[in-house]
Amino acid sequence: MTAKATGGTVETDVLVIGSGGAGLYAAIEAARNGQQVMVLTKGVLGKNGATLTSGADFNLDGHSIRRLFGFTADPRDAPEILFEDTINVGEWINNQKLVETLVDDAPQRVKELVDWGTRMEGLAMPARPGCRYPHGVKTTGLEISNVLAKKVKQLGQQVTVRDNIMATDLLTSNGRVVGAVGLDFAHGDFVAIKAKAVVIATGGGQEIFPIHTYPKEMSGDGQAMGYRAGAELLDMESMQFITMTFLHPYPPTSARFLILFMSNGGWLLNKHGQRFMSKWDPQNMEDARRSLVAVAVNKEILEGRGWKGDRGGYVALSMRHLPEDIIDYLSGDWYIRRCLFSKRDFDHLKKDSIEAFIAPHSFQGGLRVDENGSTTLAGLFAAGEVTGGLHGADRLAGNAVSQCFVQGSRAGRSAARFAAKNRSAEVNKSQLESLREKVFAPLERKDGVSPLEMRRRLQKLASEKLINVRSGESLEKAVGEIEEMKKSLPRLAARSKNPRYNREWVAALEAENSLVVAEMIARSALMRTESRGNHYRYDFPATDNQNWLKNIILRRVDTKMRLFTAAPPGPLHFARVTPPER
Ligand SMILES: Cc1cc2nc3c(=O)[nH]c(=O)nc-3n(C[C@H](O)[C@H](O)[C@H](O)COP(=O)(O)OP(=O)(O)OC[C@H]3O[C@@H](n4cnc5c(N)ncnc54)[C@H](O)[C@@H]3O)c2cc1C
């Protein structure tokens, strides 16, 4: 059976939204389970999403690494070690069932990727912060994206991919998700797809911040669509920040990772020449957990111990204490080369320090899913970075790429089973019509608020108030400002009325989603009155295991965002290990 059109609405068995690692894996798995699949993607198959740009080292335990690839992984590294490292770095608020499936399934998924043609380069060395041994196997995001795209094409008519479509909302009927609608921005057309099951795999929402490490298309659409349809999300206050640089004195092209410089002996210094990491983690110093380093860097900047630059505050990363040949050696590292550092940069590093600041990296909170990818709504499944619960308060480096394959595969299988058991439900005509009107409104409106201006305003707010170092007072203000900005949504208008590739039109549709995601972050961060992982509260600087070994869950109730907490045996599931303090 192929996808078919029914009165302007196309029909399929399983609809997958997003074509990164998680989405494509879900599509392949649903097709392997006998279902007709359609994939909607905001970009072009194989050429979009964070997966394409990722490192990409991905984690599996050392035993499996040796067994599958013959790489000389540390013999002490075992599945249990990867499991515990993930929970420790996540500061005990991970859903242990999700972690368990990651550790158990990752070897199988990686083996499959290799069978499909993925070339592995070796172990990701040295061990990333928080890993007792190097768990990562490395390849490239481009390699993975090419292999998955090729596999999807090999499935022929069983998987239809529709490029340049922004899904805008889910279709629901009697509490079940029955499809989705969106904008085909290449042609300016409204699209409606009726499906027996839907998998959301739309990645993060980094575009609410002005500078970040992700592709621009990440505007939090999946989180917002799920929320509007009534699904639960969790731990939205938890997102990863990472120490980055623009090279001084050269003009910036993009923010670049500094992780490898720090784990190879680089020093972070404030303007008084102090290695401030000694206050936070005297043993690991700059090689401490990424969340801790990011909080420390930002506190130095915010408290005036950094420098002020044209692009904001910064501290210094120096390698001048190291012999020059170490710096030369590092210039040959595959990861550093991939971050676009040039010979000129390394010559500069021998004489001078470089600017270090923090930027948002991956999302850790998101749609609440169980280990099979089911959300809290019937017919809706989710996988990858759009979901929450696996990483807890901080993500172990290398776990996100593994997550895409493991969760993508499980969600695809679950969606296929659901589709096989359930007939397609009727689409509500008035819902369809109002969602169509919503899509066209910013194009048809004569004049009003500029969507790009709205985005800039939100990005300014997020960079000041939603970054990792927070306070109750500034979070309250953020919530107030977001409420104010929401009033402008019905007045958003694209100035250009060209229906094809209209950037402002798409930005207008993204604006609502980004505002919802910003509100989720602000309200959840306000509720978590403690500091944990990437979430640091000036007014509650300590980690409070007595009261806060909990997830923060949110959902839409009567158009309002409602938050509540859940402790074990809720989504936390201390199934295998219990926190040492308990
Ligand atoms: C520079 C960089 C380096 C990284 N390095 C590593 C690493 O080494 N190891 C690691 O584990 N993790 C790494 N990560 C994180 C990891 O890459 C991501 O978490 C992971 O790839 C996310 O995959 P995903 O499939 O969930 O989302 P993505 O790959 O981001 O895909 C999301 C998809 O959804 C589509 N989409 C979004 N909104 C819509 C919409 N409304 N309608 C239709 N389609 C939509 C997008 O176009 C895209 O196709 C890195 C991330 C970055 C940015």
Side-chain angles (χ1 to χ4, degrees):
M1 187 178 76
T2 54
K4 57 178 191 271
T6 50
T9 306
V10 176
E11 203 171 328
T12 189
D13 295 329
V14 175
L15 175 67
V16 177
I17 308 176
S19 70
L24 292 186
Y25 227 110
I28 293 166
E29 197 66 58
R32 283 204 290 210
N33 280 269
Q35 299 301 307
Q36 185 60 42
V37 183
M38 179 175 284
V39 180
L40 300 185
T41 176
K42 231 174 169 180
V44 174
L45 175 66
K47 294 186 172 54
N48 59 1
T51 309
L52 177 73
T53 65
S54 70
D57 30 329
F58 50 95
N59 287 343
L60 58 163
D61 67 279
H63 284 180
S64 304
I65 293 174
R66 278 198 310 281
R67 181 170 49 82
L68 293 174
F69 307 110
F71 297 151
T72 49
D74 194 300
R76 291 165 296 179
D77 187 19
E80 202 56 29
I81 303 276
L82 175 57
F83 178 87
E84 287 169 11
D85 284 353
T86 302
I87 307 281
N88 278 327
V89 167
E91 298 202 23
W92 295 89
I93 59 166
N94 325 57
N95 177 334
Q96 294 194 11
K97 287 203 171 170
L98 296 184
V99 181
E100 204 164 54
T101 52
L102 181 88
V103 174
D104 290 349
D105 289 10
Q108 225 178 320
R109 297 285 80 83
V110 174
K111 161 93 174 50
E112 202 160 52
L113 279 166
V114 171
D115 291 346
W116 294 343
T118 310
R119 286 162 300 180
M120 295 293 164
E121 296 180 7
L123 268 183
M125 297 282 276
R128 304 293 185 243
C131 298
R132 276 171 281 175
Y133 310 107
H135 302 299
V137 184
K138 64 188 186 201
T139 177
T140 65
L142 181 63
E143 175 83 6
I144 296 170
S145 301
N146 283 342
V147 167
L148 289 174
K150 196 168 123 207
K151 186 75 191 164
V152 164
K153 284 180 190 155
Q154 282 168 359
L155 289 163
Q157 290 198 338
Q158 213 182 343
V159 182
T160 310
V161 181
R162 295 196 60 185
D163 295 335
N164 298 320
I165 309 265
M166 176 186 172
T168 51
D169 272 290
L170 298 170
L171 292 165
T172 51
S173 172
N174 297 322
R176 175 182 157 192
V177 172
V178 296
V181 298
L183 171 68
D184 171 347
F185 51 84
H187 301 96
D189 289 339
F190 178 70
V191 293
I193 293 105
K194 185 173 160 182
K196 293 175 190 161
V198 176
V199 181
I200 298 194
T202 48
Q206 290 76 2
E207 189 58 6
I208 66 167
F209 291 93
I211 297 172
H212 54 80
T213 57
Y214 271 59
K216 290 252 167 229
E217 73 228 56
M218 304 287 112
S219 43
D221 303 342
Q223 293 85 341
M225 275 188 278
Y227 168 77
R228 283 195 290 274
E232 287 184 357
L233 292 98
L234 89 173
D235 292 348
M236 287 301 288
E237 77 285 5
S238 169
M239 60 176 296
Q240 190 171 52
F241 293 83
I242 202 160
T243 311
M244 310 288 297
T245 191
F246 289 130
L247 277 202
H248 179 81
Y250 310 118
T253 47
S254 67
R256 292 175 260 200
F257 291 119
L258 283 176
I259 313 159
L260 270 233
F261 291 104
M262 296 186 320
S263 56
N264 280 289
W267 285 355
L268 286 168
L269 302 171
N270 64 19
K271 72 176 177 192
H272 307 298
Q274 291 157 343
R275 272 182 87 187
F276 53 86
M277 280 312 297
S278 62
K279 286 185 290 190
W280 296 83
D281 186 346
Q283 196 183 341
N284 295 302
M285 300 293 282
E286 288 79 2
D287 203 18
R289 276 179 295 138
R290 300 196 287 193
S291 56
L292 198 67
V293 178
V295 166
V297 166
N298 208 18
K299 279 200 85 202
E300 292 299 305
I301 295 168
L302 292 172
E303 292 167 11
R305 293 186 292 279
W307 289 266
K308 283 205 174 86
D310 305 340
R311 302 176 287 258
Y314 63 94
V315 294
L317 181 114
S318 171
M319 303 196 88
R320 277 161 49 199
H321 56 285
L322 296 175
E324 288 198 356
D325 56 353
I326 292 193
I327 300 176
D328 286 333
Y329 171 77
L330 279 178
S331 69
D333 184 279
W334 70 279
Y335 194 82
I336 290 182
R337 280 204 314 274
R338 211 167 280 160
C339 290
L340 306 177
F341 285 95
S342 65
K343 178 169 183 316
R344 190 174 64 162
D345 301 329
F346 284 93
D347 290 343
H348 177 79
L349 263 172
K350 289 175 188 167
K351 299 192 285 300
D352 208 344
S353 58
I354 56 179
E355 295 172 31
F357 61 90
I358 59 147
H361 191 46
S362 57
F363 265 51
Q364 295 161 174
L367 289 164
R368 182 177 178 180
V369 285
D370 68 10
E371 59 277 22
N372 292 313
S374 303
T375 68
T376 51
L377 284 185
L380 183 66
F381 303 83
E385 199 173 322
V386 75
T387 69
L390 170 69
H391 305 297
D394 191 12
R395 169 171 76 76
L396 193 72
N399 269 359
V401 173
S402 309
Q403 170 188 21
C404 290
F405 310 139
V406 168
Q407 291 189 335
S409 163
R410 282 179 171 249
R413 206 175 319 141
S414 303
R417 284 186 188 147
F418 187 91
K421 275 199 217 135
N422 292 277
R423 300 156 81 92
S424 57
E426 273 316 298
V427 170
N428 177 324
K429 287 208 176 64
S430 71
Q431 184 188 35
L432 193 63
E433 189 46 33
S434 84
L435 292 176
R436 199 196 73 82
E437 279 169 18
K438 181 180 152 185
V439 164
F440 281 104
L443 187 75
E444 287 167 356
R445 210 166 274 132
K446 291 249 163 0
D447 49 23
V449 175
S450 153
L452 299 179
E453 191 46 48
M454 163 86 100
R455 181 192 292 163
R456 274 192 288 276
R457 210 176 139 196
L458 177 63
Q459 289 179 334
K460 183 168 184 300
L461 175 152
S463 68
E464 290 168 359
K465 303 190 176 80
L466 303 183
I467 209 90
N468 57 350
V469 176
R470 302 157 171 174
S471 74
E473 195 187 336
S474 72
L475 289 167
E476 296 267 14
K477 281 190 187 148
V479 170
E481 280 179 52
I482 291 166
E483 288 296 344
E484 204 46 45
M485 286 168 77
K486 282 201 295 196
K487 292 182 191 156
S488 301
L489 285 174
R491 291 190 293 123
L492 286 178
R495 271 169 306 177
S496 159
K497 300 301 172 194
N498 185 344
R500 293 175 175 235
Y501 295 106
N502 186 329
R503 201 166 142 245
E504 278 196 317
W505 187 9
V506 173
L509 299 174
E510 289 174 341
E512 182 188 3
N513 299 336
S514 295
L515 270 180
V516 169
V517 169
E519 183 181 350
M520 290 175 184
I521 296 173
R523 289 192 188 277
S524 305
L526 194 55
M527 188 173 203
R528 188 172 283 281
T529 48
E530 64 150 0
S531 294
R532 188 179 293 272
N534 288 280
H535 165 77
Y536 181 90
R537 285 278 300 254
Y538 261 119
D539 37 356
F540 297 96
T543 302
D544 178 1
N545 281 346
Q546 204 61 36
N547 297 302
W548 276 108
L549 278 173
K550 290 176 187 165
N551 297 119
I552 294 177
I553 314 239
L554 63 83
R555 84 163 86 92
R556 189 181 203 214
V557 181
D558 300 332
T559 76
K560 289 253 178 302
M561 196 176 282
R562 299 282 179 225
L563 286 83
F564 56 99
T565 59
L572 266 181
H573 289 299
F574 292 142
R576 257 160 76 165
V577 283
T578 45
E581 298 86 345
R582 284 171 82 88

